[in-house]
Amino acid sequence: MESPRSTPALACALALAAILTLSGCVVFGAADRPWHEDADPEALLSAMADATDRANNYTLELGFGPGSPGRLEGSEGPDGSGTRLSYEVSDSPAAVRATLTRADRSELVVVYPEDGEALLHDTGDLLGAPTEWVRGDALLPVPAPAEVFDLASLSALVDLVAGMEGAEAGPAESIGGAEVLPLTGILPAASGDAAAERGAVAPLLGEDTSGALDVSVWVDRSGFPVRMESSGEEASLWLEFSDRDRTSFHVPNGDEVSEPVAS
């Protein structure tokens, strides 16, 4: 016997299928085909901003320096030193842990609570503090990890990459267990206000970013940019997300933290 709810449910399902088909939706493909085979590059690029704004718990690694973009295992800093940065962003508790790894594998670790002073990890007991963590606003290098890449500029960077022209899709890949579609294009030379909008990448690339830039982005089926790369004539930049909705860490507090030792 037919359920009294089955006919309306079937009608709604058919209507939804029609809407998704007409809208060129990038999230759902045919049931018997991989999603990326039917994906629309322009629709994926348009979805990037919203997908990124919804992320509030993730790990972001980046590398920047001369030459062509490097993978995680081969990136170089602007001076060729092999410097890498990692930002762990947590929403519970609300904080950011930044780790700068130098070529000699030494690390600078700083925790930025949402409200409060930066906490510097006294790696190697170099500060002579009674605890491993020190309130360290006055001890941070210039630029501090939070200043090398301002996470508040992430949306601007995503918008910039999403504005690529001539986007072409490559074969699907896997990054961190996520199936992604690589999209490659060009940001044409810009002037005036358009050139000013590229300020999100200028500090990292260390060059005039108003010229044409080759850009690539690896997006998942929702349009989230799992990885981004940009390269100009003199420098390159890559960023890669991982552990979305899984990033967490302890924020030192109480007796775990001490004041800087006076010299």
Side-chain angles (χ1 to χ4, degrees), residues 43-53 158 161-162 217 219 223-225 228:
L44 286 168
L45 291 174
S46 296
M48 278 175 53
D50 286 341
T52 304
D53 287 342
V158 170
V161 174
V217 59
V219 294
F224 186 84
M228 292 183 286

Side-chain angles (χ1 to χ4, degrees), residues 24-261:
C25 181
V26 300
V27 179
F28 302 104
D32 59 344
R33 291 167 58 85
W35 68 270
H36 49 80
E37 292 188 5
D38 300 313
D40 178 357
E42 294 301 326
L44 286 168
L45 291 174
S46 296
M48 278 175 53
D50 286 341
T52 304
D53 287 342
R54 289 194 297 271
N56 54 13
N57 184 298
Y58 56 85
T59 296
L60 174 65
E61 292 189 84
L62 65 89
F64 47 93
S68 59
R71 293 291 180 177
L72 294 178
E73 65 272 19
S75 61
E76 290 187 334
D79 58 355
S81 64
T83 301
R84 284 172 48 188
L85 273 167
S86 171
Y87 298 95
E88 297 166 85
V89 180
S90 169
D91 56 351
S92 181
V96 174
R97 181 167 65 186
T99 302
L100 185 151
T101 305
R102 304 180 182 90
D104 60 4
R105 295 308 176 196
S106 63
E107 290 185 340
L108 172 67
V109 182
V110 184
V111 170
Y112 297 91
E114 185 176 50
D115 298 310
E117 191 173 358
L119 306 176
L120 174 65
H121 188 245
D122 188 8
T123 306
D125 195 26
L126 298 178
L127 301 176
T131 61
E132 289 188 13
W133 293 91
V134 180
R135 291 182 177 86
D137 276 352
L139 303 174
L140 295 178
V142 179
E147 298 168 335
V148 174
F149 180 73
D150 182 1
L151 289 171
S153 68
L154 184 57
S155 293
L157 178 58
V158 170
D159 287 341
L160 179 65
V161 174
M164 71 171 69
E165 296 182 358
E168 295 185 358
E173 300 179 19
S174 177
I175 296 180
E179 189 175 46
V180 295
L181 187 68
L183 304 175
T184 302
I186 295 176
L187 292 177
S191 60
D193 292 341
E197 292 176 357
R198 299 190 180 182
V201 295
L204 294 170
L205 289 176
E207 65 175 77
D208 180 6
T209 57
S210 61
L213 295 173
D214 296 321
V215 290
S216 299
V217 59
W218 286 253
V219 294
D220 65 14
R221 64 187 303 159
S222 70
F224 186 84
V226 175
R227 182 181 176 91
M228 292 183 286
E229 290 183 356
S230 173
S231 63
E233 293 183 359
E234 300 177 7
S236 63
L237 161 70
W238 60 257
L239 302 92
E240 186 166 306
F241 288 89
S242 61
D243 292 331
R244 272 187 292 159
D245 301 323
R246 300 192 306 273
T247 295
S248 64
F249 53 87
H250 173 65
V251 176
N253 61 80
D255 294 340
E256 298 175 285
V257 183
S258 61
E259 300 294 334
V261 177

